């Protein structure tokens, strides 16, 4: 699924580069879309828009992750914005996943999105630590088989015995 979507985005970008060799996805913004659409077959418009929106979201998230003090509310909103691109433009979700995400947001999550290869399966939600139990319960009530709180580890380390 993801390979097919990437192929369509690549096809759209290639079509633009034929008309405008200076086009660069890394500098493209959503407001460029009306000028770019005529260079691309209409069926590829959602993939082009998704590529531009996802790049913007990723850059904002990267900036936030590098900040000295992480704003979890902002990062959560970026997660949700990414899910909306996946749902609304690329159709990489299923109703049950969307129900779980909505339940997580209603239970106090800063943000939530589908994870994995697309088409359903798992979500991740970012929440304040004091809301994790309520979040897990809300997600299960919305149709999840189970829900777990996870913590971010400091990464791998060598332990000597």
């Amino acid at each position: 699924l993801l390979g097919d979507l990437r192929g369509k985005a690549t096809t759209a970008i290639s079509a633009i580069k034929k008309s405008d060799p200076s086009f660069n996805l890394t500098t493209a913004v959503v407001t460029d879309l009306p000028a770019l659409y005529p260079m691309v077959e209409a069926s590829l418009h959602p993939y082009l828009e998704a590529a531009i929106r996802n790049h913007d979201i990723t850059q904002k998230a990267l900036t936030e992750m590098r900040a000295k003090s992480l704003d979890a509310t902002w990062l959560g909103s970026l997660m949700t914005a990414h899910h909306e691109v996946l749902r609304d433009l690329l159709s990489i979700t299923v109703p049950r996943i969307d129900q779980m995400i909505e339940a997580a947001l209603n239970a106090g999550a800063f943000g939530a999105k589908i994870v994995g290869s697309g088409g359903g399966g798992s979500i991740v939600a970012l929440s304040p630590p004091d809301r994790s139990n309520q979040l897990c319960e809300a997600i299960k009530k919305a149709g999840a088989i189970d829900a777990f709180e996870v913590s971010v580890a400091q990464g791998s380390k060598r332990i000597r015995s």
Side-chain angles (χ1 to χ4, degrees), residues 99-100 103-104 106-107 133-144:
Q99 291 164 0
M100 289 186 281
N106 289 337
N133 288 337
Q134 294 92 331
L135 216 67
C136 288
E137 288 305 313
I139 292 168
K140 287 191 279 188
K141 285 181 184 174

Side-chain angles (χ1 to χ4, degrees), residues 75-142:
L75 190 59
S77 72
L78 294 172
M79 289 172 61
T80 303
H82 183 244
H83 180 75
E84 290 167 355
V85 168
L86 298 174
R87 181 193 65 211
D88 300 340
L89 294 173
L90 301 177
S91 301
I92 304 179
T93 188
V94 295
R96 188 169 170 186
I97 289 289
D98 293 333
Q99 291 164 0
M100 289 186 281
I101 288 171
E102 188 66 29
L105 295 172
N106 289 337
F110 296 132
K113 66 179 290 301
I114 191 171
V115 295
S117 296
S122 299
I123 70 166
V124 62
L126 180 63
S127 75
D130 65 339
R131 301 290 305 164
S132 63
N133 288 337
Q134 294 92 331
L135 216 67
C136 288
E137 288 305 313
I139 292 168
K140 287 191 279 188
K141 285 181 184 174

Side-chain angles (χ1 to χ4, degrees), residues 7-112:
K8 289 176 180 174
T10 300
T11 300
I13 292 165
S14 295
I16 293 169
K17 286 187 175 192
K18 284 181 184 175
S19 297
D20 179 3
S22 68
F23 175 78
N24 187 334
L25 179 62
T26 63
T27 58
V29 293
V30 173
T31 55
D32 295 337
L33 287 168
L36 298 172
Y37 282 151
M39 298 179 227
V40 178
E41 180 183 318
S43 67
L44 297 175
H45 289 183
Y47 307 99
L48 174 63
E49 181 177 348
I52 291 172
R53 287 188 185 279
N54 283 338
H55 182 268
D56 179 60
I57 292 166
T58 301
Q59 292 307 305
K60 288 175 180 172
L62 184 57
T63 297
E64 185 58 37
M65 296 298 284
R66 290 179 174 158
K68 289 184 181 188
S69 178
L70 185 74
D71 182 347
T73 303
W74 173 239
L75 190 59
S77 72
L78 294 172
M79 289 172 61
T80 303
H82 183 244
H83 180 75
E84 290 167 355
V85 168
L86 298 174
R87 181 193 65 211
D88 300 340
L89 294 173
L90 301 177
S91 301
I92 304 179
T93 188
V94 295
R96 188 169 170 186
I97 289 289
D98 293 333
Q99 291 164 0
M100 289 186 281
I101 288 171
E102 188 66 29
L105 295 172
N106 289 337
F110 296 132

